[in-house]
Each structure stands twice: as C-alpha cells, then as structure tokens.
Amino acid sequence: MAAHTARIEARDLRDTAHAAQVRELTAAGVLEDPRWRAAFAAVPRHVFVPYFWTGRGAGHERLWAEDPDPERRARWLRGVYVDTPLATRLRDGRLVSSSSQPSLMAKMLAALEVRDGDDVLEIGAGTGYNAALLCHRLGDEHVTTVDLDEEITESARSHLAELGYHPAVITGDGARGCPARAPFDRIMVTCTLPLIPHTWPAQCRPGARILAPLSTGLIALTVRDADFAEGNFLHTPAYFVPLRGATALPPPDPAGVEYGLPYELVENERFQFMLVLTAGVLHPREALDLWRREDRPARERFGVSVSAEGQWSWLDDPQGPYVWPLGET
C-alpha cells in the first residue's frame, strides 16, 4: 500500500510540474499556436529525460528518476521541468546528446511553419522529445528522425513508444538526409552546422522549408528546387551540440581575443554571431569594422544561399557587396 501511494504521489508531482511548464511557456509567449500548446501539454518531458548530467566542480553529477534518495529524485524532477537544455549523454566527458531548451524548441517548431499533411525530417533524434511533439501535431506517418548513434536512436524509439508514438527513427548520418523517406516538406535540424549539406535541398519538395542552427543563430531556408535554397536568419540565438557524421566539418574558431579585439565586443552576443559566421573569410578586425559601419546588424539582416556551385552568407542582399563563402560539403 505504501509503495502504491508513493507511485501515485510521484505521478501527481510529475503531472503538476509538467502543467506548470506549459503555463510558463504560454505566459512567455512561445506557445501562441494552440496546436503546439496542445502538443506540449500532451507530451511530458520527463518521459524523454529519465536522467541527465549536471556540472559540479570538475566533474558531473547524474540525476535520475529511479534514484533511491527522494531528495535527488526531487532534484531530477525539478531539473527536467526547468526551461533549460539538459545534458543527456556524455562520452569520455564530452557532450554528445542533450534535451533542448523547451522554449527554444517551441520557437523552432513555430518557425518551421508546418501545415497539415507535411512530411518532416528531423536531423538529430536526441531524446525523441521533439519528434513526439511533431507526431502529436502531424501524425506518426509524417515524421522521420535521424541520428548517427544507434544508442541514441534506440533510446529515442523506446521513449516515443512509451507514449504511443511510432515515427520512423533511423540510425544514419543526418548530413546525408534520409533519401529512402524523401521528399520532405520541412527539415528541422537540432545540431549546429558549419554549412548546409547539399543533400538536404535535393530531398525536399519545391517550396519546402529548412530550419537549422548555423553559427549561433537559426537559418530559415526556402527550397526553390533540388539545387537552390535561400533565406534569412531568425532573431533567435541558438546553441546546439555540433553535427556529427562523414560530411560534417569542425566549427570555426573566431579567436577574436587573439587579434586584440575588445573583450566586451567578443563577448557581445550579436557580434559573436557575425564573427563565427565570417570566420576564415574575414579577419576579426575586418568583421568588427564592418559590424560597426553597418550599425551593429542583428541576425535578421544576415542570410544564406545554397546552390549546386556552393553556398555563401550575406548581409542584407545576396547580390549585394557583403557576401562570404561558407565552404564546400
């Protein structure tokens, strides 16, 4: 009887924490669409984060749902429903997978602009939480999620099935997309990129939307055809685990302080975005001069074009004076 009562109390605490998070996200204005609000209300985060790692001193502490210590279990539950990213998988002390910040997830899902019947490819399965939200909104048959790591996909598949969701969960190199499930109307990426793999637009229908973290922002590309996509960055900052895979490149290191830039500017979130975006093309001092000359441009003034010949970032106009190559896949 005591064990049964404890289980009921634990369930009630989880339900209460989940409901409080949905209220907080709604109050913050990131769940304006009632369909996404319903998805967040239907999909509890704790199912997808049965444990997470938190930094403590020089090491890490693991908090988990089945800890015999009730205080540590309570810390796990409180942590799960805080609006923050959570480290869910470490390898040799290095973060390889995480549960994204719920408010950022909500912003990205809204920015994805899905329509009923859209087929969505998610690059970076993570815990499966984001795929569950997509399944609730669109239906399992319209959702494909890919991750390079079999341990991650197996875990995500299990979490999803626990709540009755059964999208296509594929183990593979997300940089190569998922040709077997193409074409897609939307591609949503939950890992930071150095550039856009050419395989993604080729696996999209004309008019599709690709939303991906690039530099420290989110680029929203509209696909014209298999060889061309273009769009602007959103205003939202975004920091994710880097894309892994055969075609992934190491993220650039702007190293602004080494070039004598004022530390307060290197730490400036807006300037850091431009510094990373133009690393290897503009000298950091050139980037600073341009940034100041153009009235400290925000992310929305920058964009990216992807073509069969290459890809480039730009300020204000893809045909204008400020255009920088991003590199080649």
Side-chain angles (χ1 to χ4, degrees), residues 17-103:
H18 178 203
Q21 183 179 70
V22 175
R23 288 196 300 273
E24 289 168 7
L25 294 176
T26 302
V30 296
L31 290 179
E32 293 183 355
D33 187 329
R35 292 166 296 187
W36 286 124
R37 189 160 61 247
F40 273 85
V43 180
R45 192 186 192 195
H46 68 263
V47 172
F48 297 89
V49 190
Y51 62 86
F52 64 89
W53 299 88
T54 180
R56 173 162 290 193
H60 296 89
E61 180 187 22
R62 183 176 182 261
L63 297 176
W64 63 304
E66 303 301 325
D67 197 302
D69 182 341
E71 175 53 33
R72 289 172 60 84
R73 288 199 306 274
R75 287 177 57 206
W76 162 78
L77 182 61
R78 287 195 299 270
V80 164
Y81 283 107
V82 171
D83 184 30
T84 188
L86 298 173
T88 56
R89 198 171 296 271
L90 300 175
R91 192 163 294 154
D92 298 324
R94 183 172 60 92
L95 178 65
V96 296
S97 187
S98 64
S99 176
S100 301
Q101 182 178 10
S103 60

Side-chain angles (χ1 to χ4, degrees), residues 241-304:
V241 175
L243 174 72
R244 296 180 294 149
T247 58
L249 298 176
D253 179 8
V257 175
E258 295 179 12
Y259 291 95
L261 300 186
Y263 185 77
E264 63 272 17
L265 275 180
V266 174
E267 289 295 296
N268 180 288
E269 201 273 329
R270 275 175 151 192
F271 179 59
Q272 183 64 218
F273 165 77
M274 181 176 175
L275 200 57
V276 174
L277 188 65
T278 60
V281 181
L282 286 184
H283 187 284
R285 284 223 165 256
E286 288 183 283
L288 178 58
D289 289 344
L290 175 58
W291 191 69
R292 284 172 165 167
R293 188 166 64 248
E294 289 297 317
D295 197 26
R296 295 168 169 77
R299 282 182 178 80
E300 305 95 297
R301 288 179 58 187
F302 292 87
V304 167

